Amino acid sequence: MRISLRGAIVLFVLLALASLVGPLLRPFDAWHNDWELLQIAPGWAHGHWLGSDAIGRDVFVRTLLAGRVSLLLGFGAGLCALVFGLAYGALAGTLGGASERGMMRALDVVSALPFLLIVVLLLTLFGRSGVLLVLAVGAYASIDLARMLRAEAARLRVLPFVQAARALGAGPWWLLTRHIAPNLLGFAFVYLSLAIPQAILVESFLSFLGLGLDEPAVSLGGLLAEGVQELEVAPWVLLAPATFLALLLIAFTLLGDALRARRDLRA
Protein backbone atom coordinates (compact mmCIF):
# COMPACT_ATOMS: atom_id res chain seq x y z
CA MET A 1 0.00 0.00 0.00
CA ARG A 2 2.80 2.39 0.93
CA ILE A 3 4.59 1.70 -2.37
CA SER A 4 1.34 2.29 -4.32
CA LEU A 5 0.67 5.55 -2.50
CA ARG A 6 4.21 6.85 -3.00
CA GLY A 7 4.25 5.71 -6.61
CA ALA A 8 0.92 7.39 -7.29
CA ILE A 9 2.07 10.63 -5.68
CA VAL A 10 5.36 10.60 -7.60
CA LEU A 11 3.59 9.87 -10.88
CA PHE A 12 0.99 12.59 -10.28
CA VAL A 13 3.62 15.18 -9.29
CA LEU A 14 5.68 14.39 -12.39
CA LEU A 15 2.66 14.74 -14.68
CA ALA A 16 1.53 17.96 -12.99
CA LEU A 17 5.00 19.49 -13.16
CA ALA A 18 5.42 18.46 -16.78
CA SER A 19 2.09 20.05 -17.74
CA LEU A 20 2.87 23.24 -15.82
CA VAL A 21 6.52 23.74 -16.71
CA GLY A 22 7.05 21.68 -19.87
CA PRO A 23 5.41 24.04 -22.40
CA LEU A 24 7.48 26.95 -21.07
CA LEU A 25 10.75 25.16 -21.81
CA ARG A 26 10.11 24.59 -25.50
CA PRO A 27 10.68 27.13 -28.31
CA PHE A 28 7.19 26.46 -29.74
CA ASP A 29 3.79 27.34 -28.44
CA ALA A 30 0.73 25.17 -28.87
CA TRP A 31 -0.49 27.11 -31.90
CA HIS A 32 2.81 27.63 -33.79
CA ASN A 33 2.67 26.19 -37.32
CA ASP A 34 5.92 24.69 -38.63
CA TRP A 35 4.96 24.56 -42.30
CA GLU A 36 8.23 22.86 -43.28
CA LEU A 37 7.69 19.91 -40.93
CA LEU A 38 4.10 18.75 -41.33
CA GLN A 39 3.25 15.44 -39.68
CA ILE A 40 6.92 14.86 -38.92
CA ALA A 41 7.61 11.71 -36.89
CA PRO A 42 8.92 11.99 -33.31
CA GLY A 43 12.62 12.76 -33.17
CA TRP A 44 15.27 14.78 -31.39
CA ALA A 45 17.17 16.52 -34.22
CA HIS A 46 14.29 18.57 -35.66
CA GLY A 47 13.05 19.68 -32.23
CA HIS A 48 9.59 18.10 -32.31
CA TRP A 49 10.19 15.40 -29.70
CA LEU A 50 6.75 13.82 -30.13
CA GLY A 51 6.31 14.85 -33.75
CA SER A 52 3.97 17.39 -35.31
CA ASP A 53 0.39 17.27 -36.53
CA ALA A 54 -1.17 17.95 -39.93
CA ILE A 55 -0.53 21.70 -39.77
CA GLY A 56 2.88 21.53 -38.12
CA ARG A 57 1.92 22.11 -34.48
CA ASP A 58 4.16 20.52 -31.87
CA VAL A 59 2.47 17.45 -30.33
CA PHE A 60 4.63 17.50 -27.18
CA VAL A 61 3.69 21.06 -26.23
CA ARG A 62 0.03 20.63 -27.14
CA THR A 63 -0.23 17.42 -25.09
CA LEU A 64 1.28 19.00 -21.98
CA LEU A 65 -0.84 22.13 -22.35
CA ALA A 66 -3.96 20.01 -22.83
CA GLY A 67 -2.99 18.03 -19.73
CA ARG A 68 -2.81 21.30 -17.77
CA VAL A 69 -6.28 22.31 -18.97
CA SER A 70 -7.72 18.88 -18.15
CA LEU A 71 -6.15 18.98 -14.67
CA LEU A 72 -7.62 22.42 -13.98
CA LEU A 73 -11.05 21.36 -15.21
CA GLY A 74 -10.81 18.08 -13.29
CA PHE A 75 -9.88 19.79 -10.02
CA GLY A 76 -12.54 22.46 -10.55
CA ALA A 77 -15.23 19.86 -11.24
CA GLY A 78 -13.97 17.74 -8.34
CA LEU A 79 -14.26 20.73 -6.00
CA CYS A 80 -17.82 21.38 -7.21
CA ALA A 81 -18.63 17.69 -6.70
CA LEU A 82 -17.21 17.85 -3.18
CA VAL A 83 -19.30 20.91 -2.25
CA PHE A 84 -22.54 19.65 -3.81
CA GLY A 85 -22.10 16.04 -2.73
CA LEU A 86 -21.06 16.86 0.83
CA ALA A 87 -23.91 19.33 1.38
CA TYR A 88 -26.58 17.08 -0.11
CA GLY A 89 -25.39 13.76 1.31
CA ALA A 90 -24.66 15.09 4.80
CA LEU A 91 -28.03 16.85 4.99
CA ALA A 92 -29.96 13.77 3.84
CA GLY A 93 -28.09 11.49 6.23
CA THR A 94 -28.58 13.89 9.15
CA LEU A 95 -32.31 14.40 8.63
CA GLY A 96 -33.17 10.73 8.12
CA GLY A 97 -36.73 9.43 7.80
CA ALA A 98 -39.04 10.68 5.07
CA SER A 99 -36.79 13.65 4.24
CA GLU A 100 -33.85 11.34 3.57
CA ARG A 101 -35.95 9.02 1.39
CA GLY A 102 -37.38 11.96 -0.55
CA MET A 103 -33.95 13.46 -1.18
CA MET A 104 -32.58 10.12 -2.35
CA ARG A 105 -35.50 9.54 -4.72
CA ALA A 106 -34.94 13.02 -6.15
CA LEU A 107 -31.28 12.09 -6.66
CA ASP A 108 -32.34 8.89 -8.43
CA VAL A 109 -34.51 10.94 -10.79
CA VAL A 110 -31.65 13.34 -11.56
CA SER A 111 -29.19 10.49 -12.17
CA ALA A 112 -31.67 8.88 -14.58
CA LEU A 113 -31.73 11.99 -16.80
CA PRO A 114 -29.62 11.86 -19.98
CA PHE A 115 -26.52 13.73 -18.86
CA LEU A 116 -25.11 14.36 -22.32
CA LEU A 117 -28.41 15.74 -23.58
CA ILE A 118 -28.58 18.17 -20.66
CA VAL A 119 -24.99 19.30 -21.22
CA VAL A 120 -25.61 19.83 -24.94
CA LEU A 121 -28.71 21.87 -24.12
CA LEU A 122 -26.84 24.01 -21.58
CA LEU A 123 -23.89 24.58 -23.91
CA THR A 124 -26.26 25.50 -26.72
CA LEU A 125 -28.22 27.97 -24.60
CA PHE A 126 -25.33 29.60 -22.75
CA GLY A 127 -22.35 28.93 -25.03
CA ARG A 128 -19.33 26.74 -24.44
CA SER A 129 -17.28 27.98 -21.52
CA GLY A 130 -14.91 26.44 -19.01
CA VAL A 131 -17.02 27.56 -16.03
CA LEU A 132 -20.20 25.99 -17.40
CA LEU A 133 -18.34 22.78 -18.27
CA VAL A 134 -16.85 22.58 -14.76
CA LEU A 135 -20.25 23.10 -13.14
CA ALA A 136 -21.96 20.54 -15.37
CA VAL A 137 -19.31 17.86 -14.90
CA GLY A 138 -19.05 18.65 -11.18
CA ALA A 139 -22.80 18.27 -10.73
CA TYR A 140 -22.69 14.94 -12.54
CA ALA A 141 -19.78 13.64 -10.42
CA SER A 142 -21.47 14.80 -7.20
CA ILE A 143 -24.33 12.29 -7.58
CA ASP A 144 -22.28 9.23 -6.60
CA LEU A 145 -20.43 11.20 -3.94
CA ALA A 146 -23.73 12.35 -2.39
CA ARG A 147 -24.97 8.75 -2.22
CA MET A 148 -21.81 7.55 -0.46
CA LEU A 149 -21.78 10.46 1.96
CA ARG A 150 -25.46 9.96 2.77
CA ALA A 151 -24.73 6.36 3.76
CA GLU A 152 -21.77 7.44 5.89
CA ALA A 153 -23.83 10.23 7.51
CA ALA A 154 -26.59 7.73 8.32
CA ARG A 155 -23.99 5.54 10.04
CA LEU A 156 -22.71 8.50 12.06
CA ARG A 157 -26.25 9.57 12.97
CA VAL A 158 -26.78 6.59 15.27
CA LEU A 159 -23.39 6.70 17.00
CA PRO A 160 -23.39 7.50 20.74
CA PHE A 161 -21.79 10.95 20.51
CA VAL A 162 -24.47 12.13 18.04
CA GLN A 163 -27.26 10.55 20.07
CA ALA A 164 -25.92 12.23 23.19
CA ALA A 165 -25.94 15.62 21.47
CA ARG A 166 -29.48 15.00 20.27
CA ALA A 167 -30.59 14.03 23.80
CA LEU A 168 -29.15 17.32 25.07
CA GLY A 169 -31.38 19.22 22.66
CA ALA A 170 -29.16 19.71 19.62
CA GLY A 171 -31.16 20.34 16.44
CA PRO A 172 -30.48 19.04 12.92
CA TRP A 173 -28.43 22.11 11.93
CA TRP A 174 -26.19 21.78 14.99
CA LEU A 175 -25.74 18.04 14.43
CA LEU A 176 -24.97 18.64 10.75
CA THR A 177 -22.39 21.40 11.22
CA ARG A 178 -20.76 20.28 14.47
CA HIS A 179 -20.83 16.47 14.32
CA ILE A 180 -21.81 14.97 10.97
CA ALA A 181 -20.15 17.16 8.31
CA PRO A 182 -16.74 17.46 10.07
CA ASN A 183 -16.54 13.69 10.41
CA LEU A 184 -17.39 13.25 6.73
CA LEU A 185 -14.54 15.39 5.45
CA GLY A 186 -11.90 12.63 5.57
CA PHE A 187 -14.26 10.24 3.78
CA ALA A 188 -15.14 12.92 1.22
CA PHE A 189 -11.52 13.76 0.42
CA VAL A 190 -10.69 10.08 -0.14
CA TYR A 191 -13.46 9.76 -2.69
CA LEU A 192 -12.57 13.13 -4.17
CA SER A 193 -9.44 11.43 -5.54
CA LEU A 194 -11.81 9.15 -7.46
CA ALA A 195 -14.20 11.93 -8.50
CA ILE A 196 -11.43 14.00 -10.13
CA PRO A 197 -10.39 11.32 -12.66
CA GLN A 198 -14.08 10.71 -13.35
CA ALA A 199 -14.47 14.42 -14.09
CA ILE A 200 -11.36 14.41 -16.32
CA LEU A 201 -12.70 11.39 -18.20
CA VAL A 202 -16.14 12.96 -18.70
CA GLU A 203 -14.61 16.25 -19.84
CA SER A 204 -12.31 14.41 -22.27
CA PHE A 205 -15.28 12.49 -23.63
CA LEU A 206 -17.26 15.69 -24.15
CA SER A 207 -14.28 17.35 -25.85
CA PHE A 208 -13.82 14.28 -28.03
CA LEU A 209 -17.41 14.72 -29.20
CA GLY A 210 -16.76 18.40 -29.90
CA LEU A 211 -18.73 19.62 -26.88
CA GLY A 212 -15.75 20.85 -24.87
CA LEU A 213 -13.84 24.12 -24.95
CA ASP A 214 -13.68 26.23 -28.08
CA GLU A 215 -10.45 26.88 -29.98
CA PRO A 216 -7.80 28.04 -29.26
CA ALA A 217 -8.10 26.18 -25.95
CA VAL A 218 -6.81 22.62 -26.10
CA SER A 219 -7.84 19.63 -24.01
CA LEU A 220 -6.92 15.97 -24.07
CA GLY A 221 -10.29 14.97 -25.50
CA GLY A 222 -9.92 17.49 -28.30
CA LEU A 223 -6.43 16.19 -29.13
CA LEU A 224 -7.75 12.64 -29.17
CA ALA A 225 -10.37 13.67 -31.70
CA GLU A 226 -7.66 15.28 -33.87
CA GLY A 227 -5.46 12.19 -33.49
CA VAL A 228 -8.18 9.86 -34.72
CA GLN A 229 -8.39 11.86 -37.96
CA GLU A 230 -4.63 11.47 -38.52
CA LEU A 231 -4.29 7.92 -37.21
CA GLU A 232 -3.28 6.32 -40.51
CA VAL A 233 -0.53 8.79 -41.45
CA ALA A 234 0.58 10.18 -38.08
CA PRO A 235 -0.36 7.83 -35.20
CA TRP A 236 1.79 9.79 -32.71
CA VAL A 237 -0.79 12.59 -32.79
CA LEU A 238 -3.20 10.18 -31.08
CA LEU A 239 -0.73 8.17 -28.98
CA ALA A 240 0.77 11.13 -27.11
CA PRO A 241 -2.46 12.55 -25.55
CA ALA A 242 -3.86 9.02 -25.07
CA THR A 243 -0.76 8.00 -23.09
CA PHE A 244 -0.85 11.18 -20.99
CA LEU A 245 -4.55 10.69 -20.22
CA ALA A 246 -4.00 7.02 -19.30
CA LEU A 247 -1.09 7.90 -16.96
CA LEU A 248 -3.17 10.65 -15.35
CA LEU A 249 -6.09 8.29 -14.69
CA ILE A 250 -3.74 5.58 -13.38
CA ALA A 251 -2.12 8.03 -10.95
CA PHE A 252 -5.47 9.20 -9.57
CA THR A 253 -6.85 5.66 -9.36
CA LEU A 254 -3.80 4.37 -7.46
CA LEU A 255 -3.91 7.40 -5.18
CA GLY A 256 -7.60 6.91 -4.44
CA ASP A 257 -7.23 3.18 -3.81
CA ALA A 258 -4.27 3.71 -1.48
CA LEU A 259 -6.04 6.44 0.50
CA ARG A 260 -9.19 4.34 0.76
CA ALA A 261 -7.23 1.28 1.94
CA ARG A 262 -5.42 3.39 4.55
CA ARG A 263 -8.71 4.84 5.76
CA ASP A 264 -10.30 1.36 6.01
CA LEU A 265 -7.35 0.13 8.07
CA ARG A 266 -7.69 3.06 10.47
CA ALA A 267 -11.44 2.46 10.72
Side-chain angles (χ1 to χ4, degrees), residues 243-260:
T243 302
F244 192 95
L245 178 60
L247 291 175
L248 203 57
L249 296 178
I250 289 172
F252 273 113
T253 302
L254 291 177
L255 184 62
D257 288 344
L259 290 175
R260 186 170 50 184

Side-chain angles (χ1 to χ4, degrees), residues 62-139:
R62 287 177 64 79
T63 298
L64 294 183
L65 192 61
R68 184 195 302 175
V69 172
S70 292
L71 275 172
L72 289 175
L73 292 176
F75 273 102
L79 185 60
C80 290
L82 177 66
V83 173
F84 295 155
L86 179 62
Y88 199 90
L91 180 61
T94 302
L95 293 176
S99 299
E100 180 185 10
R101 290 192 294 273
M103 292 178 71
M104 288 301 102
R105 296 296 80 77
L107 203 62
D108 292 338
V109 172
V110 172
S111 64
L113 296 175
F115 170 68
L116 282 179
L117 183 60
I118 294 175
V119 172
V120 171
L121 182 62
L122 290 175
L123 294 175
T124 303
L125 292 176
F126 301 104
R128 287 188 282 177
S129 70
V131 174
L132 182 59
L133 198 59
V134 164
L135 291 176
V137 176

Side-chain angles (χ1 to χ4, degrees), residues 178-234:
R178 300 301 178 94
H179 296 291
I180 302 294
N183 284 287
L184 288 177
L185 285 178
F187 187 88
F189 277 113
V190 169
Y191 281 93
L192 179 63
S193 60
L194 301 177
I196 290 175
Q198 182 187 12
I200 292 175
L201 199 59
V202 171
E203 184 276 327
S204 298
F205 180 64
L206 290 173
S207 296
F208 183 82
L209 296 178
L211 301 174
L213 301 176
D214 281 326
E215 291 283 354
V218 291
S219 68
L220 291 175
L223 293 188
L224 291 176
E226 295 176 5
V228 169
Q229 298 176 4
E230 303 180 40
L231 182 59
E232 293 185 359
V233 293

